Amino acid sequence: MVEPLLDVRDLKKYFPAGRFLLGRVRSWVKAVDEISFTIHRGETLGLVGESGCGKTTTCKLILAAEKATAGAIVFEGRDIVGRNGKDLMDYRRQVQVVFQDPYSSLSPRLRVGDIIGEPITAHEKMSRAAVRSRVGELLELVGLRPDMARLFPHEFSGGQRQRIAIARALSTHARLIVLDEPVSALDVSIRAHIIGLLEDIQQRLDVSYLFVGHDLAAVAHISHRIAVMYLGKIAEVADSMELCHKPLHPYTKALFAASLPSHPDEEREKIVLTGEVPSALNPPSGCHFHPRCPVAMPHCSEKVPEPVEFAPGHTVACHLYSG
């Protein structure tokens, strides 16, 4: 069996929420609560869910921008949780990020050549001429001219800025790129171009993506597999097309029912979720989704559902399928 590029195992991230007078933590916000998933070489894993479900915290943990409370993040066979110094520096070179907002993610004071070249000089010993040459190659790779390296970010459109951000992420020969809603701030007409560019780069460089987003159509289009998160836990993971056509978890069904159809004549099951997303500070007992679930059973409020492999590669954490 081929070893995955990234193997996340039972990952947790709890934040303290208030303390007693003696300093003892009063309660915890369970932003990420024992999640597991894998990403293979050259694969895109989509990560979807409502705001506050833990997607951003998951990204920060993968990027080593936050320290995990528990669990493992195994990259190319090595657990990076708890590592520091050279090991952590090497990991960060191979795992890069493209942020949501192309207008705030690029420094307005630096020329594009410096923005892309800065990570190269930080991680590799190269001459200035070699760095300039590498920057020119990266700009061409993302569909921009090499001479644009002398310009500042404000001289580019939003779509062009996101291309620059992609070039910066690729500058260190990254093996995994975290795409934190990379097209949500762009015009609809530009989104397809950026997604097409990402797919082309993946085919050419065999890079892997963790694609986080709200737009289910965009996530489903680019992803090989999709993981659905709800309140810090993963509810379902499956092949992209299978999840779109045969979602199993009631929450996944509700997400797709609420999304825009691919065709005006497409008929969708109408699912209306009651109530608001509960707080991660005080999540419901048992299955976190049971207060809003239209098919909840009595024991759903008592027991946390374990992930069950319903079909090869299709895992769901729901008592409806636990036998």
Side-chain angles (χ1 to χ4, degrees), residues 4-8 37 39 58-66 73-81 86-99 119 123 165-166 168-180 207-211:
L5 177 70
L6 184 78
D7 187 2
V8 174
F37 60 84
I39 302 178
T58 300
C59 290
K60 288 181 178 180
L61 291 168
I62 300 303
L63 292 166
E66 291 279 3
I73 301 173
V74 181
F75 183 78
E76 294 191 323
R78 301 175 67 187
D79 188 1
I80 63 97
V81 173
K86 187 178 181 300
D87 287 341
L88 189 58
M89 185 81 164
D90 184 60
Y91 173 75
R92 284 175 169 158
R93 179 183 65 80
Q94 298 186 74
V95 180
Q96 292 289 313
V97 61
V98 174
F99 295 104
H123 292 280
I166 293 168
R168 178 178 59 184
L170 293 167
S171 64
T172 59
H173 303 282
R175 304 295 308 281
L176 171 66
I177 298 179
V178 176
L179 301 164
D180 186 8
V207 66
S208 302
Y209 298 139
L210 174 61
F211 192 100

Side-chain angles (χ1 to χ4, degrees), residues 12-45:
K12 296 181 181 179
K13 180 59 183 179
Y14 296 172
F15 294 98
R19 296 178 183 272
F20 293 105
L21 289 175
L22 297 177
R24 187 164 58 89
V25 175
R26 187 192 304 268
S27 57
W28 298 90
V29 175
K30 298 180 178 181
V32 173
D33 193 13
E34 206 167 351
I35 67 171
S36 300
F37 60 84
T38 59
I39 302 178
H40 293 272
R41 289 168 177 80
E43 181 188 39
T44 300
L45 176 71

Side-chain angles (χ1 to χ4, degrees), residues 204-316:
R204 294 173 62 177
L205 303 181
D206 200 34
V207 66
S208 302
Y209 298 139
L210 174 61
F211 192 100
V212 180
H214 283 96
D215 186 347
L216 290 179
V219 174
H221 178 82
I222 194 173
S223 302
H224 298 94
R225 290 183 300 125
I226 298 176
V228 180
M229 280 193 80
Y230 184 79
L231 213 59
K233 290 184 175 292
I234 289 184
E236 188 169 1
V237 182
D239 174 82
S240 177
M241 289 300 101
E242 182 172 349
L243 194 73
C244 291
H245 294 107
K246 193 179 179 181
L248 298 177
H249 198 283
Y251 178 61
T252 310
K253 291 180 179 179
L255 277 183
F256 278 98
S259 66
L260 289 172
S262 57
H263 191 275
D265 295 332
E266 180 183 343
E267 293 186 4
R268 292 273 183 93
E269 181 183 2
K270 292 183 178 180
I271 302 175
V272 179
L273 295 181
T274 58
E276 300 291 330
V277 179
S279 169
L281 179 61
N282 186 27
S285 59
C287 174
H288 289 348
F289 186 60
H290 86 263
R292 305 175 71 199
C293 182
V295 291
M297 299 173 287
H299 62 282
C300 292
S301 62
E302 302 167 0
K303 185 180 178 183
V304 177
E306 294 294 327
V308 174
E309 190 169 32
F310 181 82
H314 195 158
T315 304
V316 58

Side-chain angles (χ1 to χ4, degrees), residues 159-170:
Q160 288 175 321
R161 291 187 195 201
Q162 205 63 311
R163 289 173 185 266
I164 294 166
I166 293 168
R168 178 178 59 184
L170 293 167

